[in-house]
Amino acid sequence: MNKIKKAFDTIHAKEELKEKTRQYIYDNVYNKKHSFNKNKSNKLVLALATVLIMFITISTYITPVMAISIDSQSSIQFEVNKFNRVISVSAYDDNTNKIIQSLNLKHSNYEDALDLIINELESKNIIDEDTYVNISISTKDNNMGNKVLNEVENKYKEHYKNLNCNNPDASYQNEAKKHNMSIGKYQEYKNSQQNNPNLTIEEFKKSCIDQCEHKNQQKGKNK
């Protein structure tokens, strides 16, 4: 504004007209230029904030907070994010690998994913109402784990006579991945070691989980 005033001091005209002209130029040229720079700065801040929000959202979405495994004659496991969406699915034999590829489970709600898996296992005669079915829910969030465990148990216990639902220790998840096992089967292996300390994990992996459970029960009775 001072530069504009100095420029007009050299012009001979009525002060009222000069003042109106100065104000017009300031409002429509000088002030707009500063507004433009300010808007550019605001747009940059908004863009950075948008990128940050997107990064946090994506990072949260792809971070697993719970693992659910279904173990019987075969094993399937999927990981769930905090939005209850499936973000990864693992199978541990050729038959179940074909099943998960056909179901397209990623990004579905975990309840829907569990229903689809169990229905498909039944249709393929891998499980039936008499089969020993082990469903494991592993998470560091105890409230979440107990809630999901109760929901799953109440939903399937009437149909499967030999249903076992449990909460494996979340610390087992990395070890289970390391040995290419579901969290439920790895939990069963740790239980089996109590009765048979010499049991190797490779030996255990060759057995389906109902055989492992039967062996554990028999050894428990013989103690």
Side-chain angles (χ1 to χ4, degrees), residues 15-125:
E15 284 301 321
E16 183 181 358
L17 178 60
K18 288 165 67 175
E19 184 57 37
K20 286 182 178 180
T21 306
R22 273 196 299 264
Q23 193 62 47
Y24 178 84
I25 293 173
Y26 180 80
D27 291 341
N28 291 276
V29 179
Y30 183 80
N31 205 27
K32 280 190 175 181
K33 180 181 177 182
H34 282 264
S35 296
F36 176 74
N37 290 333
K38 186 177 180 181
N39 287 338
K40 281 179 68 178
S41 178
N42 289 341
K43 286 179 180 179
L44 179 60
V45 171
L46 181 61
L48 291 173
T50 302
V51 170
L52 180 61
I53 291 169
M54 288 177 63
F55 175 79
I56 293 172
T57 302
I58 292 170
S59 179
T60 302
Y61 190 91
I62 64 175
T63 301
V65 297
M66 178 170 62
I68 300 177
S69 72
I70 306 96
D71 300 280
S72 56
Q73 296 179 43
S74 58
S75 296
I76 294 177
Q77 178 172 299
F78 56 91
E79 292 183 318
V80 181
N81 65 19
K82 71 176 299 181
F83 306 110
N84 295 330
R85 297 289 167 177
V86 176
I87 56 173
S88 70
V89 189
S90 301
Y92 300 92
D93 59 73
D94 291 339
N95 288 334
T96 48
N97 191 48
K98 290 176 183 177
I99 287 173
I100 64 171
Q101 287 180 357
S102 67
L103 292 178
N104 193 25
L105 299 170
K106 287 188 74 172
H107 311 301
S108 60
N109 181 277
Y110 78 85
E111 294 177 277
D112 296 334
L114 192 55
D115 282 343
L116 286 169
I117 290 171
I118 287 178
N119 290 338
E120 192 67 14
L121 290 173
E122 279 203 357
S123 72
K124 302 293 184 185
N125 297 317

